[in-house]
Amino acid sequence: MRHMARTVKGPDARRERWKGHREQRRAEFVEATIAAVAKKGPDVGMEDIAAEAGVSKPVLYRHFTDKSDIYLAVGQKATELLMDRMGPALVAEGSIRARIEGIVDAYLSVIEENPNLYRFVVKGSFVDRPVEKDVAQEDKNLIAATLARIIGDYLRAFDMDSGGAEPWAHGLVGMVQNAGDWWLDRQTMSRANLSDYLATLIWHALDGVLRAGGIQIDPEQPLTQLRLVD
């Protein structure tokens, strides 16, 4: 019986080791792709990726189904990078004005530091056919959902209708993304200035909604204090 148990576990253990090896190699090739994109630009080719990884193209294709598979794996890594930076800003405490600027600046800092990676994921020109998943759209939806909760919290704190929070959040995400695209191409102002301009515009939009409901608040006052005052 003991001998039979060892023979059953052996192949399973080997499969797990092989699976772990493949996952490690995929991760290494994703990092190589990101490095190649940073050097060569968003229109990088498979030859560039293979050269960066120090392997041949056939070796790459042993670990990825096709170019779309590589693109999605890189997109998932880019999402991790984005959310690692934006996550703390999205859940930070503080005044509404400071929170808005922190979120905007966190996003802009990522695309500033990784412009070619950003263009690679958003443009999607690396793949030859449409991919099943839109990584950039998934990121936008995730950020918008979090923003909707933040906006909704402020509106509900004053017993106001929060039904518009979700479409407003999606509109704001689109605005910041488009402004970021323009900024990456032009670089006519500092990131700090752009963050301030966008945060000011977003704050006044929210302030206008509150004023329409007969409410005027200090943009520097934290939400928790506002609730205590009420």
Side-chain angles (χ1 to χ4, degrees):
M1 293 293 292
R2 288 195 297 270
H3 175 72
M4 289 181 63
R6 285 196 298 271
T7 59
V8 170
K9 290 180 179 179
D12 289 341
R14 285 194 295 273
R15 279 194 293 270
E16 286 302 312
R17 286 197 297 272
W18 176 239
K19 179 181 178 183
H21 172 73
R22 284 184 60 83
E23 290 175 351
Q24 180 181 347
R25 290 294 281 164
R26 275 178 64 97
E28 291 170 356
F29 291 145
V30 166
E31 293 295 340
T33 303
I34 292 173
V37 168
K39 294 176 183 178
K40 300 291 185 177
D43 295 323
V44 65
M46 287 293 292
E47 295 83 359
D48 300 313
I49 297 171
E52 183 67 33
V55 299
S56 64
K57 285 200 299 182
V59 172
L60 283 180
Y61 282 122
R62 287 181 203 154
H63 294 81
F64 297 92
T65 306
D66 53 19
K67 292 174 70 174
S68 297
D69 193 19
I70 297 177
Y71 169 78
L72 289 175
V74 172
Q76 290 166 357
K77 185 66 177 180
T79 295
E80 293 175 10
L81 175 66
L82 178 64
M83 297 316 299
D84 283 348
R85 187 71 58 84
M86 292 195 67
L90 288 166
V91 300
E93 297 293 331
S95 70
I96 182 63
R97 180 64 171 74
R99 291 183 73 183
I100 291 170
E101 186 161 3
I103 293 168
V104 171
D105 192 64
Y107 171 79
L108 294 177
S109 72
V110 173
I111 68 172
E112 179 185 41
E113 295 169 17
N114 306 275
N116 284 338
L117 177 60
Y118 171 78
R119 294 184 179 106
F120 177 86
V121 173
V122 172
K123 286 175 59 179
S125 57
F126 175 73
V127 293
D128 301 321
R129 58 180 176 77
V131 292
E132 295 179 359
K133 294 176 63 178
D134 187 336
V135 178
Q137 186 60 49
E138 288 183 354
D139 288 347
K140 289 167 65 176
N141 289 343
L142 179 60
I143 296 169
T146 306
L147 284 179
R149 288 195 295 271
I150 294 172
I151 295 170
D153 279 347
Y154 273 84
L155 294 176
R156 286 186 291 272
F158 298 101
D159 297 321
M160 294 185 66
D161 177 21
S162 61
E166 191 168 0
W168 290 336
H170 280 272
L172 293 175
V173 169
M175 179 186 74
V176 172
Q177 182 185 16
N178 287 338
D181 289 349
W182 166 85
W183 177 66
L184 276 184
D185 291 337
R186 300 293 185 88
Q187 293 288 322
T188 53
M189 66 179 67
S190 69
R191 192 184 88 210
N193 281 346
L194 179 60
S195 295
D196 181 66
Y197 290 147
L198 291 174
T200 298
L201 183 60
I202 294 169
W203 156 247
H204 282 293
L206 179 57
D207 184 49
V209 173
L210 293 172
R211 286 176 183 271
I215 298 168
Q216 184 174 348
I217 66 171
D218 180 356
E220 302 303 325
Q221 189 174 8
L223 175 60
T224 51
Q225 292 181 16
L226 293 172
R227 284 172 169 163
L228 289 173
V229 170
D230 289 347

